[in-house]
Amino acid sequence: MPELVFFSGTMDCGKSTLALQIEHNRSARGLTGMIFTRDDRAGEGKLSSRLGLVTDAVEVEDGQDLYAYLVDHLSRGGRADYVIADEAQFLVPEQIDQLARVVDDLDLDVYAFGITTDFRSKLFPGSQRLVELADRVEVLQVEALCWCGARATHNARTVNGEMVVEGAQVVVGDVNQADDIGYEVLCRRHHRRRMTAGTARAAALSPDVLPVPSAGEHF
């Protein structure tokens, strides 16, 4: 039976890599997929992985009916044996309903990939709807790590290296850039304390730290 499957996890856990692997495995068997994405780091109409892999995709627009898009594609003689939806957290709940209808009415498997919660630890509306509707929710087993080495469970937004907890829910940034808007994965403890890798280094280098006495000196 066709399924709606939601693959979820934090940033850096390999969601887009798995999406590309699923696409590769099925295309190697002669199947053709329809790939949707939204706000990918590689630009409009791309599905990319941080490992450097990239493929073309359909950029989802505001108000677009994904079910109607598939029906139109098929009615024009196009082919789609399955559907991949990456960055699914950025889809609105109505579009998740449309993906569920693709499964039920068109008998196609739909594989959705996305982050469950935002930088404030609040559910993305699209992810929430996927949890409500999916036949299966798979938490990816490739563990992203916090700077402290613990398993990362939360996504943090940084501005010039400082963690922030206010602002628009969706702001596309670069997890590798050193300044402006960026993102980092943290364990719950350090997300709660708003301690990123940058602020941890700054604290370690603070002049308030007692100096180490040299030989012959005493405090």
Side-chain angles (χ1 to χ4, degrees):
M1 293 291 292
E3 290 185 306
L4 172 59
V5 186
F6 179 33
F7 295 93
S8 69
T10 63
M11 297 181 300
D12 296 338
C13 73
K15 297 181 300 301
S16 296
T17 301
L18 178 57
L20 287 162
Q21 185 68 54
I22 288 176
E23 163 65 11
H24 171 76
N25 290 350
R26 280 154 180 73
S27 63
R29 296 295 179 265
L31 301 176
T32 300
M34 175 66 69
I35 304 176
F36 293 113
T37 191
R38 175 114 194 212
D39 295 333
D40 187 274
R41 69 183 70 83
E44 184 173 332
K46 299 293 181 182
L47 165 57
S48 69
S49 162
R50 292 192 177 90
L51 298 182
L53 305 173
V54 63
T55 192
D56 292 330
V58 176
E59 184 76 15
V60 177
E61 301 175 355
D62 291 337
Q64 183 175 6
D65 187 325
L66 303 185
Y67 176 82
Y69 186 94
L70 260 296
V71 169
D72 181 68
H73 173 76
L74 295 171
S75 67
R76 292 173 181 268
R79 181 178 172 184
D81 300 305
Y82 58 92
V83 174
I84 290 174
D86 196 34
E87 306 293 356
Q89 71 273 7
F90 296 145
L91 303 181
V92 297
E94 291 78 12
Q95 290 170 327
I96 303 303
D97 290 348
Q98 294 154 14
L99 291 177
R101 189 180 178 191
V102 168
V103 176
D104 297 338
D105 293 358
L106 301 182
D107 291 329
L108 299 179
D109 284 313
V110 174
Y111 307 102
F113 300 81
I115 297 168
T116 309
T117 58
D118 64 15
F119 70 103
R120 303 165 300 182
S121 299
K122 303 294 184 182
L123 284 168
F124 281 100
S127 298
Q128 178 179 335
R129 192 61 179 148
L130 275 165
V131 171
E132 294 166 348
L133 291 183
D135 297 293
R136 286 189 290 127
V137 177
E138 301 282 351
V139 179
L140 296 190
Q141 299 304 307
V142 177
E143 293 185 348
L145 298 178
C146 176
W147 60 264
C148 69
R151 184 169 69 92
T153 55
H154 290 63
N155 305 298
R157 178 184 295 170
T158 61
V159 176
N160 295 321
E162 297 286 336
M163 179 176 160
V164 297
V165 293
E166 295 181 353
Q169 186 175 54
V170 179
V171 176
V172 179
D174 186 345
V175 296
N176 296 315
Q177 65 187 21
D179 53 15
D180 298 328
I181 296 175
Y183 290 91
E184 183 176 343
V185 290
L186 300 172
C187 64
R188 186 181 63 231
R189 174 184 292 107
H190 289 124
H191 189 277
R192 182 170 52 82
R193 294 176 180 175
R194 304 186 189 181
M195 184 173 287
T196 65
T199 55
R201 284 194 296 269
L205 297 174
S206 171
D208 293 335
V209 176
L210 290 175
V212 177
S214 59
E217 291 182 334
H218 301 278
F219 291 97

